Amino acid sequence: MVNQKNLKTIVVLGTGGTIAGTATDASDNLGYRAAQVGVAQLMAGVPGMSEVLAGHALVCEQVAQIDSKDMSFAIWTTLALRVQQHLAQDDVAGVVITHGTDTLEETAFFLHAVLPAALQLQKPVVLTCAMRPASSLNPDGPQNLLDAVALARTDGACGVMAVCAGVVHSALAVQKVHVYRPDAFSSGDAGPLGFMEEGRLRQVKNWPLTLSHQAAISSEKIATIPAWPRVEIVMNYAGGSAAVVAALLQPLPGVVPLQGLIVAGTGNGTLHVELVEALQRAKQAGVRVLRASRCGEGRVLPVAGSVFADSKGLSPVKARVALMLSLMIDACCGADHSRSDVL
C-alpha cells in the first residue's frame, strides 16, 4: 500500500514538437504539423499513466507550442525560470519536459548549464520527445512519456537528462544521430546513463556527484539581457575558404555584431589553412573562437601551441550555447568569471 506521506507531484512542461504533432493521414510520419496537441491533452491520452504515477499528482503546464527547429532564446529563458521555480517546491519530485527532437540536445545542455547545481543534484529534469506524431498508427510518444514520468519519480535520480526509446542520456552527452528512426539519440562514446524497462530504471552509470559546464549566471539575470551574444558555427571541409567567416564579420543593419565563432573542424578539430587565417583575423577583431569537431563521437584533444581553444568536449551546437553564456558572464561580471566552469 502506498504511503500517502511519500506522494509528491510530477510537473510536465510542454513545448510542442513532433510528440504533439498531427497529420491528416495516420500513416504519414513526415507530412505532419508539429505542436498541435496541448500537453494536458497529450498526457491524458497516455494509457497506463495512472499506474506509473502510482498515486503521485501530475501537473501540466504549456510553456510553449512550437516545432523545436524554431526554438528561441526567449523560450529557453522562460523554460529555465519555470523549471527552477517548480524544482524549488518541496512537493515536486521532478520535472518532465516534452520537446521536439531537432534541438532537444541544445535545450538539455542550456538547462544543465543554468539551473542551480544544488537543485540539479537533488531532483531530476527529464526531457522527452517523439519521432512519430501523436496521430501516427504507431506513435512512440506515449511510451516515451511513460518512461519520462517513471524516471522523474525514480529515487535518487538527479540532473538534466533525456529519455527516448527507452534509453536515458545525460544532458552533456545526448545528441540526435538519426533523421527517422524512433531511437534517434545517442550518448556517443560516453554511453547512456541507463535504460527504462517496464517502468523501472536499469542504471548503468552513477548520477553525477558534481556538475561540469555550469554557467555562473542565473536564469533571472539572463531574463534581463535584451539581446543574447551572437555566436555562429562554421565548418571545415575540403576546399574550405575564408569567405564564410569574412561574410559573418560584416555588419548588418539590426543584427547584433558577431562575438563568437564555433568551428566544427575535421577529425581532432583540424582546420583548412585558409580557414585558420580567416579565424585569426576574426580573433584579432575581438571575436572569441572555439575549436570543436564535426565528428559524432570523441572529443577534441588539446594540442600544444594551438591558436584556438578547444570546446572542452562539447559538440559544436553545445559549445555555441556555452560560449553565448560565457560572453554573457563577461558582460555582466567580468571575464575572470566566465572561463572556469561553462567552458
Side-chain angles (χ1 to χ4, degrees):
M1 186 173 180
V2 178
N3 185 342
Q4 295 295 317
K5 292 183 179 180
N6 295 330
L7 295 179
K8 292 196 173 185
T9 298
I10 303 296
V11 176
V12 182
L13 303 179
T15 68
T18 297
I19 195 169
T22 59
T24 55
D25 186 340
S27 65
D28 187 355
N29 292 318
L30 294 177
Y32 60 88
R33 292 183 63 190
Q36 299 301 300
V37 183
V39 67
Q41 181 182 348
L42 199 65
M43 296 302 294
V46 178
M49 183 59 74
S50 60
E51 287 81 0
V52 170
L53 284 166
H56 292 265
L58 184 70
V59 173
C60 297
E61 179 182 331
Q62 198 76 50
V63 174
Q65 188 71 310
I66 62 162
D67 187 321
S68 78
K69 67 179 176 57
D70 300 319
M71 182 55 67
S72 68
F73 301 149
I75 294 174
W76 272 356
T77 303
T78 300
L79 185 60
L81 290 170
R82 297 305 297 143
V83 172
Q84 183 171 321
Q85 182 173 349
H86 285 299
L87 288 181
Q89 305 304 310
D90 291 338
D91 66 326
V92 171
V95 173
V96 171
I97 300 169
T98 63
H99 201 287
T101 60
D102 286 350
T103 56
L104 180 146
E105 62 201 83
E106 293 162 76
T107 299
F109 177 77
F110 170 72
L111 292 173
H112 166 89
V114 304
L115 292 175
L119 289 179
Q120 287 195 58
L121 292 173
Q122 294 175 7
K123 297 178 181 181
V125 177
V126 184
L127 287 85
T128 196
C129 54
M131 290 293 288
R132 304 285 183 266
S135 58
S136 174
L137 287 169
N138 187 26
D140 52 328
Q143 184 62 59
N144 287 341
L145 289 168
L146 287 172
D147 288 343
V149 170
L151 181 57
R153 57 173 295 258
T154 296
D155 289 341
C158 62
V160 180
M161 64 197 87
V163 62
C164 180
V167 186
V168 183
H169 308 276
S170 73
L172 289 179
V174 66
Q175 56 183 329
K176 187 175 180 179
V177 296
H178 203 278
V179 301
Y180 186 76
R181 288 194 322 234
D183 57 334
F185 288 86
S186 171
S187 288
D189 52 12
L193 293 174
F195 305 91
M196 297 305 297
E197 299 170 344
E198 300 299 314
R200 294 180 180 274
L201 171 67
R202 177 164 63 88
Q203 191 172 349
V204 297
K205 293 177 70 175
N206 291 331
W207 304 118
L209 300 178
T210 58
L211 297 175
S212 61
H213 296 288
Q214 284 276 287
I217 186 169
S218 67
S219 301
E220 292 85 357
K221 184 65 178 178
I222 292 172
T224 68
I225 296 173
W228 283 36
R230 182 178 164 214
V231 177
E232 304 288 357
I233 300 174
V234 296
M235 182 181 286
N236 191 62
Y237 41 76
S241 71
V244 172
V245 175
L248 290 172
L249 287 172
Q250 294 299 311
L252 295 171
V255 177
V256 175
L258 186 68
Q259 292 178 259
L261 277 172
I262 306 298
V263 54
T266 39
N268 190 42
T270 56
L271 305 174
H272 191 286
V273 61
E274 291 188 23
L275 183 56
V276 169
E277 293 171 355
L279 292 170
Q280 285 177 320
R281 289 193 289 272
K283 187 176 179 181
Q284 290 166 0
V287 175
R288 282 182 63 183
V289 179
L290 287 182
R291 188 170 53 93
S293 176
R294 72 184 202 183
C295 294
E297 295 194 9
R299 57 180 293 158
V300 173
L301 301 175
V303 177
S306 176
V307 178
F308 309 113
D310 66 82
S311 63
K312 301 294 188 291
L314 297 176
S315 68
V317 294
K318 292 179 183 177
R320 175 175 175 263
V321 177
L323 184 51
M324 287 190 290
L325 292 171
S326 181
L327 288 165
M328 287 183 200
I329 300 167
D330 282 359
C332 297
C333 313
D336 291 342
H337 294 270
S338 66
R339 307 293 199 263
S340 60
D341 294 323
V342 69
L343 280 172

